[in-house]
Amino acid sequence: MTTGFETMTPENHAAADWKIETRTRIARIFGIVALAAVIALAAAPFIVSRGVAQDLFYILTMLTLAQSWNLLAGYAGLISVGQQLFVGCGAYALFGLVILLGLDPILAVPLAGLLAMLIAVPTAFFAFRLYGPYFAIGTWVIAEVGRLLLAQWKTLGGGTGTSLPRDAVRDMFGISALVDWFGMRPPAAADALAYWLALASAALTISVIYKLLRSKHGLGLAAVRDNETAARALGVDARRLKTLVYLFVAFVTGIVGALIYLQKARISPDAAFSLTDWTAYVIFIVVIGGIGTIEGPILGVLVFFVLQNAFSSYGSWYLLALGTLAIITMLFAPRGLWGLISDRTGWELFPVRRILRGETVRQDDKGGPNG
């Protein structure tokens, strides 16, 4: 059949080969660099001083907390200011399991995360009935209730807190091997074990979040964040997704809380449930680095650590400076420092956007009648 258009025949028929891509060349290069960095960081306790290892431990734990809060707020749209609840519950769970049940601290760390996740179940029941700023305030109130309740636990020191038994820390799994094989002193060996657990937690948390965001559940999560009503209309189970994210974040945060206070070896309700240390600083890290990106908290935690070491001696002026910097960033760089870098360079180290690419291929090039 001939019309005003070209006659379509098998010889000139063209088809488009389309495929969806998420990985980029810069991401592949960064993956290799990141793997090398993890290996180098794993060797740090044998190379650097104990003080430097403790600084790296702090960076890794804050990074894990920031990535978890970023998943909750930046991807699920749940702005929580009560994450200190899970830090405190994980820490107290560790102390309770070690002091009351005599468990090895290394074994108690993942169990502390599970207990924090169990506590998140009833808190989610109440918190998810609130929306927007009411959700944020509600999570803070729930965290304060948790602090007040644990302050009444006399067995673990009540309001003044308690310390881990020296024998429990000295004899925990792996200490004797590090002492015998590498000649480490027991305190340095305990710090090394806590450091490796923190490194593993940070690497696994980032990997799980990245895998989640690249899956269909990640697409559903983004849809819920952007417009929950529209997402529900398209068949996304918004409540289920939010609940799963909330429980996962509670689990990870509980583990981090247990690790932090395993390394400190002493706990008190005010310290474990500190709004400033475990939520305000975390929010600052995410806002400065770039909310809604995996790269943002990585950059933000480095900026935060440098600022903290440079200006922490200035007391309240230091906190005022952090707040001012956060406000300036939100005004002039709403997507954070990584947003500025990404806009200028086009880099995506953890690409999650789906890019549809295709090219027109003739049938005879694909083995058609003329092939």
Side-chain angles (χ1 to χ4, degrees), residues 79-82 85 127 130 134-144 246:
I79 309 296
S80 169
V81 292
L85 170 69
L130 305 172
Y134 299 103
F135 176 85
I137 295 171
T139 55
W140 173 72
V141 171
I142 292 171
E144 283 298 295
Y246 190 75

Side-chain angles (χ1 to χ4, degrees), residues 59-75 83 205-206 209 249 252-253 256 278-279 281-287 289-294 296-302 304:
I59 291 172
L60 290 169
T61 51
M62 293 302 288
L63 172 61
T64 308
L65 290 176
Q67 290 288 0
S68 301
W69 189 87
N70 185 47
L71 175 64
L72 196 66
Y75 291 102
Q83 291 307 101
T205 298
I206 293 174
I209 291 174
V249 168
V252 172
T253 306
V256 173
W278 313 127
T279 298
Y281 286 163
V282 168
I283 294 174
F284 173 83
I285 289 169
V286 176
V287 169
I291 191 169
T293 63
I294 297 178
I298 298 175
L299 179 60
V301 76
L302 297 177
F304 170 74

Side-chain angles (χ1 to χ4, degrees), residues 83-92 147 150 257 260-261 264 266-275 277-278:
Q83 291 307 101
Q84 67 273 19
L85 170 69
F86 305 121
V87 173
C89 287
Y92 266 97
R147 180 183 67 84
L150 284 173
I260 289 171
Y261 283 92
K264 291 177 179 291
R266 177 162 181 82
I267 196 171
S268 68
D270 289 342
F273 289 86
S274 171
L275 173 64
D277 290 343
W278 313 127

Side-chain angles (χ1 to χ4, degrees), residues 182-246:
F182 301 103
M184 286 185 174
R185 296 174 58 190
D191 283 350
L193 285 174
Y195 169 81
W196 284 323
L197 289 173
L199 177 61
S201 298
L204 287 174
T205 298
I206 293 174
S207 299
V208 170
I209 291 174
Y210 184 41
K211 185 174 180 61
L212 170 66
L213 295 177
R214 294 184 65 194
S215 69
K216 64 178 182 179
H217 298 296
L219 286 174
L221 203 59
V224 170
R225 175 197 61 192
D226 296 337
N227 191 322
E228 184 171 338
T229 303
R232 289 178 184 274
L234 292 173
V236 177
D237 191 341
R239 189 173 187 85
R240 178 175 176 271
L241 277 177
K242 286 184 175 182
T243 302
L244 290 176
V245 167
Y246 190 75

Side-chain angles (χ1 to χ4, degrees), residues 18-62:
W18 300 96
K19 60 181 179 178
I20 296 176
E21 293 182 353
T22 54
R23 298 299 298 271
T24 61
R25 183 171 178 272
I26 187 67
R28 294 187 184 94
I29 295 173
F30 176 75
I32 298 172
V33 173
L35 180 59
V38 170
I39 295 173
L41 286 172
F46 302 113
I47 301 171
V48 301
S49 66
R50 187 181 175 191
V52 173
Q54 290 175 344
D55 287 340
L56 291 173
F57 173 84
Y58 180 74
I59 291 172
L60 290 169
T61 51
M62 293 302 288

